[in-house]
Amino acid sequence: NTQPPASAPRSGPAAGRDNTGLPGAGPYPRFGGDTERIVAVYIGLMKSIFMHEFGHALIGELQLPSTGAEEDAVDIYAALQIVEPTMYPSGNKDVDRMASEAATYAALQWYYSGKISENRGQAPSAWQDEHTGDLKRFRNMLCIMYGGNPSVFESVVRQTGFEDRTKARCTDEFSKQNRAWRKILAPHTRVGTWTPDGERPANAPGAPVNVVFEPSQRKIGNLFANNLSAAIGENIKLLGKTYVLPRPVNVTFKDCGKLNAWYSPREGTITMCYELIENIAVMISDIEMGTVGGEVVAKDGSAPPPRQQQAPAGQGQGAAAPTGGFDELKDSGIPATTLLFSAPYKGPTPVQHYRAKVITTGDLVQLIKNNKNLVIVDTSGLADTLPIAYPLTDAGSDGSVKDHLQNALDDWLLKKSGGNRGVPIVLMGASMDDRSSYNAALRVGTLGWDAYWYRGGMQAWVANGLPTTPVKAAQN
């Protein structure tokens, strides 16, 4: 279950006249009236709590292995789910900014709580408590989020004092944990645009995730029940369409009379207590806005954290007709995705690409003839490659399109292209079943380069009787 942060203040009665428009008792922190920030705080807190409990539900309902402490494992699952929307921008600046702020608050609750305990000289959590201490939970969650998207969370890790050695570990921690959770869940996941590793058919039968928001006696409870329930409910229900569940998982948001949230393995239910969300929101408001018990009784002395801007990425285009010895555009039934495939990168690939033009052998031959400055990147790791290709297996690595590898790849491409971002960049691998080349095209296209994905790779090139050369003789 989810206990409140160790030192979160208990919410007192509302002070002054109620002008919130929300029925019920209790405080309603309004964060200076900034609507985006209000939504970001409450959605971030809710998602952090809910995804933690849903991680428990996945382990319980699907009988997943958990070799470490389960509480820590589901914290990591929650962090991965929280950071994902920031890694793949929607193109709507307001939505993307709100996703980044919500993710920030999802982690900051543990930092604030831990620092309050530290400043009060309170002892850390009991040594037999199944939950890790607040500051350590903050470190673990934010490290995963920073590893997945350093540009968004750089200011947070800097302001909260992350050491360079910790930051250096985060990219690897994100990649390992993301890969592990996706691999563990793959046998129970329907294949789809956002779940390319899924091993179950898109129409595989399974039970739903149901959501109910009960009316509340608290203002914040009614904020969720009356104002946020539709959007939150739809997103939670999507989890039932993502995972093949053996029985319904019923989620209830309600007044509980206590600060908690929990998953019941016996009943297959998740209970989300309005009081817990209220309690944490009050703590954040008191720290950031100078309120007392979540209510404004003194002049506001703090400002919202800086907002991150993310530029929308472009869309991919169609492909040319197939040529050569086999159908290089054969549809394997895998939908196009903007997520990187996880290692070991072996498996059928989509026939389309959202960030690159899909080309066949005939198209590539024409590109080579017409573009002297063409850059071809081979991620296959094979002993032979195209005579003018650059072997670079790392370009197809998993992780995220916001990780440190992106910057290194961009610098490398600038060097190889002579600083000309208009140069066509062709990404290729071993075959149509080499997902590393899809990843590389996704990375390069997201960086804004003119990306081409040669889906057939070395297999198609050789099948067309075209020349190859040992890797050691290729460009480097």
Short mmCIF file of all heavy atoms in Angstrom, two decimals, residues 372-375 390 409-425 449 475:
data_model
loop_
_atom_site.label_atom_id
_atom_site.label_comp_id
_atom_site.label_asym_id
_atom_site.label_seq_id
_atom_site.Cartn_x
_atom_site.Cartn_y
_atom_site.Cartn_z
N LYS A 372 26.13 12.84 -52.97
CA LYS A 372 27.53 12.55 -52.66
C LYS A 372 27.81 12.61 -51.16
O LYS A 372 28.73 11.96 -50.67
CB LYS A 372 28.44 13.53 -53.39
CG LYS A 372 28.41 13.39 -54.92
CD LYS A 372 29.36 14.37 -55.57
CE LYS A 372 29.35 14.22 -57.08
NZ LYS A 372 30.28 15.17 -57.75
N ASN A 373 27.03 13.41 -50.45
CA ASN A 373 27.28 13.59 -49.02
C ASN A 373 26.42 12.68 -48.14
O ASN A 373 26.35 12.87 -46.92
CB ASN A 373 27.03 15.05 -48.63
CG ASN A 373 27.99 15.99 -49.32
OD1 ASN A 373 29.16 15.67 -49.51
ND2 ASN A 373 27.49 17.16 -49.71
N LEU A 374 25.75 11.73 -48.74
CA LEU A 374 24.89 10.80 -48.01
C LEU A 374 25.65 10.12 -46.87
O LEU A 374 26.81 9.72 -47.03
CB LEU A 374 24.37 9.74 -48.98
CG LEU A 374 23.48 8.63 -48.43
CD1 LEU A 374 22.10 9.17 -48.13
CD2 LEU A 374 23.39 7.49 -49.45
N VAL A 375 25.00 10.00 -45.71
CA VAL A 375 25.59 9.28 -44.57
C VAL A 375 24.75 8.02 -44.32
O VAL A 375 23.54 8.11 -44.09
CB VAL A 375 25.62 10.15 -43.30
CG1 VAL A 375 26.12 9.33 -42.11
CG2 VAL A 375 26.50 11.37 -43.52
N TYR A 390 28.87 3.57 -42.30
CA TYR A 390 29.56 3.72 -41.02
C TYR A 390 28.98 2.70 -40.03
O TYR A 390 27.80 2.80 -39.67
CB TYR A 390 29.35 5.12 -40.44
CG TYR A 390 29.99 6.23 -41.23
CD1 TYR A 390 29.25 6.97 -42.14
CD2 TYR A 390 31.33 6.55 -41.04
CE1 TYR A 390 29.82 8.01 -42.85
CE2 TYR A 390 31.92 7.59 -41.75
CZ TYR A 390 31.16 8.31 -42.65
OH TYR A 390 31.74 9.34 -43.36
N LEU A 409 24.96 11.25 -30.40
CA LEU A 409 24.64 10.86 -31.77
C LEU A 409 24.52 12.10 -32.66
O LEU A 409 25.00 12.10 -33.81
CB LEU A 409 23.33 10.06 -31.78
CG LEU A 409 22.83 9.57 -33.15
CD1 LEU A 409 23.88 8.69 -33.83
CD2 LEU A 409 21.51 8.81 -32.98
N ASP A 410 23.90 13.14 -32.15
CA ASP A 410 23.76 14.37 -32.92
C ASP A 410 25.13 14.96 -33.25
O ASP A 410 25.39 15.38 -34.38
CB ASP A 410 22.92 15.37 -32.12
CG ASP A 410 22.39 16.51 -32.98
OD1 ASP A 410 22.01 16.25 -34.14
OD2 ASP A 410 22.34 17.65 -32.50
N ASP A 411 26.02 14.98 -32.26
CA ASP A 411 27.38 15.49 -32.49
C ASP A 411 28.11 14.65 -33.53
O ASP A 411 28.82 15.18 -34.40
CB ASP A 411 28.17 15.49 -31.18
CG ASP A 411 27.66 16.52 -30.18
OD1 ASP A 411 26.93 17.45 -30.61
OD2 ASP A 411 27.97 16.39 -28.98
N TRP A 412 27.95 13.34 -33.45
CA TRP A 412 28.61 12.44 -34.40
C TRP A 412 28.11 12.69 -35.82
O TRP A 412 28.89 12.75 -36.77
CB TRP A 412 28.36 10.99 -33.98
CG TRP A 412 29.07 9.96 -34.79
CD1 TRP A 412 30.33 9.46 -34.59
CD2 TRP A 412 28.56 9.28 -35.96
NE1 TRP A 412 30.64 8.52 -35.55
CE2 TRP A 412 29.57 8.39 -36.40
CE3 TRP A 412 27.36 9.35 -36.66
CZ2 TRP A 412 29.40 7.57 -37.51
CZ3 TRP A 412 27.19 8.53 -37.77
CH2 TRP A 412 28.20 7.65 -38.19
N LEU A 413 26.79 12.86 -35.97
CA LEU A 413 26.21 13.11 -37.29
C LEU A 413 26.68 14.46 -37.85
O LEU A 413 26.94 14.58 -39.06
CB LEU A 413 24.69 13.07 -37.21
CG LEU A 413 24.07 11.68 -36.99
CD1 LEU A 413 22.57 11.81 -36.71
CD2 LEU A 413 24.30 10.78 -38.20
N LEU A 414 26.78 15.45 -36.99
CA LEU A 414 27.27 16.76 -37.44
C LEU A 414 28.69 16.64 -37.97
O LEU A 414 29.05 17.25 -38.99
CB LEU A 414 27.21 17.77 -36.29
CG LEU A 414 25.83 18.33 -35.96
CD1 LEU A 414 25.88 19.11 -34.65
CD2 LEU A 414 25.31 19.22 -37.09
N LYS A 415 29.49 15.83 -37.30
CA LYS A 415 30.88 15.63 -37.74
C LYS A 415 30.92 14.92 -39.09
O LYS A 415 31.64 15.33 -40.01
CB LYS A 415 31.64 14.83 -36.69
CG LYS A 415 33.08 14.55 -37.05
CD LYS A 415 33.76 13.74 -35.95
CE LYS A 415 35.20 13.40 -36.34
NZ LYS A 415 35.87 12.58 -35.28
N LYS A 416 30.14 13.85 -39.23
CA LYS A 416 30.17 13.06 -40.45
C LYS A 416 29.52 13.78 -41.63
O LYS A 416 29.85 13.51 -42.78
CB LYS A 416 29.48 11.71 -40.23
CG LYS A 416 30.15 10.83 -39.18
CD LYS A 416 31.61 10.56 -39.51
CE LYS A 416 32.27 9.68 -38.45
NZ LYS A 416 33.73 9.50 -38.71
N SER A 417 28.60 14.69 -41.35
CA SER A 417 27.91 15.41 -42.42
C SER A 417 28.56 16.74 -42.75
O SER A 417 28.05 17.49 -43.59
CB SER A 417 26.45 15.65 -42.02
OG SER A 417 26.38 16.55 -40.92
N GLY A 418 29.66 17.05 -42.07
CA GLY A 418 30.30 18.33 -42.28
C GLY A 418 29.47 19.50 -41.77
O GLY A 418 29.59 20.62 -42.27
N GLY A 419 28.62 19.21 -40.78
CA GLY A 419 27.80 20.26 -40.19
C GLY A 419 26.56 20.61 -40.99
O GLY A 419 25.85 21.56 -40.66
N ASN A 420 26.26 19.82 -42.02
CA ASN A 420 25.10 20.09 -42.88
C ASN A 420 23.92 19.23 -42.46
O ASN A 420 23.88 18.03 -42.74
CB ASN A 420 25.48 19.81 -44.34
CG ASN A 420 24.33 20.12 -45.30
OD1 ASN A 420 23.27 20.58 -44.90
ND2 ASN A 420 24.56 19.85 -46.58
N ARG A 421 22.94 19.83 -41.80
CA ARG A 421 21.78 19.07 -41.33
C ARG A 421 20.83 18.68 -42.47
O ARG A 421 19.86 17.96 -42.23
CB ARG A 421 21.02 19.87 -40.27
CG ARG A 421 21.74 19.93 -38.93
CD ARG A 421 20.85 20.52 -37.85
NE ARG A 421 21.49 20.48 -36.55
CZ ARG A 421 21.46 19.44 -35.72
NH1 ARG A 421 20.81 18.34 -36.08
NH2 ARG A 421 22.07 19.49 -34.56
N GLY A 422 21.08 19.16 -43.66
CA GLY A 422 20.25 18.78 -44.79
C GLY A 422 20.68 17.49 -45.46
O GLY A 422 20.02 17.01 -46.38
N VAL A 423 21.80 16.93 -45.02
CA VAL A 423 22.31 15.69 -45.61
C VAL A 423 21.38 14.53 -45.27
O VAL A 423 20.98 14.36 -44.12
CB VAL A 423 23.73 15.40 -45.09
CG1 VAL A 423 24.17 13.99 -45.44
CG2 VAL A 423 24.71 16.41 -45.66
N PRO A 424 21.02 13.68 -46.25
CA PRO A 424 20.20 12.50 -45.95
C PRO A 424 20.97 11.52 -45.06
O PRO A 424 22.15 11.25 -45.31
CB PRO A 424 19.91 11.89 -47.32
CG PRO A 424 20.19 12.98 -48.31
CD PRO A 424 21.26 13.82 -47.70
N ILE A 425 20.30 10.99 -44.05
CA ILE A 425 20.90 10.00 -43.15
C ILE A 425 20.12 8.70 -43.31
O ILE A 425 18.92 8.65 -43.05
CB ILE A 425 20.85 10.45 -41.68
CG1 ILE A 425 21.40 11.88 -41.52
CG2 ILE A 425 21.60 9.46 -40.81
CD1 ILE A 425 22.85 12.04 -41.83
N TRP A 449 16.98 15.35 -38.21
CA TRP A 449 17.70 15.05 -39.44
C TRP A 449 16.75 14.49 -40.50
O TRP A 449 15.66 14.01 -40.19
CB TRP A 449 18.81 14.04 -39.17
CG TRP A 449 19.94 14.57 -38.35
CD1 TRP A 449 20.03 14.58 -36.98
CD2 TRP A 449 21.13 15.19 -38.82
NE1 TRP A 449 21.20 15.16 -36.57
CE2 TRP A 449 21.91 15.55 -37.69
CE3 TRP A 449 21.64 15.47 -40.09
CZ2 TRP A 449 23.15 16.17 -37.79
CZ3 TRP A 449 22.88 16.09 -40.20
CH2 TRP A 449 23.62 16.44 -39.06
N GLN A 475 33.98 2.81 -43.65
CA GLN A 475 34.27 4.11 -43.07
C GLN A 475 34.21 4.03 -41.55
O GLN A 475 33.53 3.19 -40.98
CB GLN A 475 33.26 5.14 -43.56
CG GLN A 475 33.24 5.28 -45.07
CD GLN A 475 32.35 6.43 -45.50
OE1 GLN A 475 32.48 7.53 -44.99
NE2 GLN A 475 31.47 6.18 -46.44
#
